[in-house]
Amino acid sequence: MKIRKGDTVLIISGKDRARKGKVLKAFPKERKILVEGINLRKKHQRPKRAGEKGQIIQMPAPIDVSNVKLICPKCGKATRVGYKIVEKKKIRVCKKCGQET
Ligand SMILES: [Zn+2]
């Protein structure tokens, strides 16, 4: 998968379109990612102790990786990524500036 944990991505479809966020977690098998502050779902939390109120918390839900573009840390543009082999190592490069991402 081309997007990894720690990347900053731009959302290109859905209700959070045009927003940016940091990838908190990647799920390569499902081709989904969890992005900070994106696709928030309300979750009801039960009270932990008697007498306490339950509360509603907002948690991000995973989104499909095809709905995002990587923001290149080198040139700052939303980009597609490619790969190249350098010294037998596969590195991910930005298609816009050609630098390693
Ligand atoms: Zn770049």
Side-chain angles (χ1 to χ4, degrees):
M1 200 159 73
K2 289 182 174 176
I3 304 291
R4 299 185 293 225
K5 184 182 168 186
D7 285 343
T8 300
V9 293
L10 175 72
I11 313 302
I12 54 171
S13 71
K15 69 180 167 74
D16 291 314
R17 185 172 21 201
R19 293 184 60 197
K20 292 173 190 174
K22 196 176 167 192
V23 178
L24 300 174
K25 215 170 173 184
F27 307 94
K29 261 191 218 158
E30 292 94 353
R31 302 195 58 76
K32 283 179 186 289
I33 52 171
L34 198 62
V35 186
E36 191 171 35
I38 301 296
N39 198 25
L40 294 176
R41 293 289 152 87
K42 283 188 180 135
K43 207 174 156 183
H44 296 261
Q45 198 172 52
R46 288 170 173 277
K48 289 187 185 95
R49 273 178 245 115
E52 254 182 14
K53 273 187 182 164
Q55 48 180 343
I56 297 169
I57 53 170
Q58 290 201 308
M59 297 272 290
I63 57 169
D64 206 276
V65 74
S66 63
N67 292 338
V68 306
K69 265 183 153 181
L70 178 73
I71 295 176
C72 171
K74 301 277 163 61
C75 65
K77 289 177 186 154
T79 184
R80 289 190 302 136
V81 292
Y83 288 95
K84 69 181 182 192
I85 309 290
V86 175
E87 289 161 7
K88 292 180 184 169
K89 254 180 70 186
K90 197 170 156 187
I91 61 164
R92 196 177 64 165
V93 293
C94 167
K95 290 237 179 175
K96 290 210 167 127
C97 67
Q99 297 216 59
E100 184 175 354
T101 61

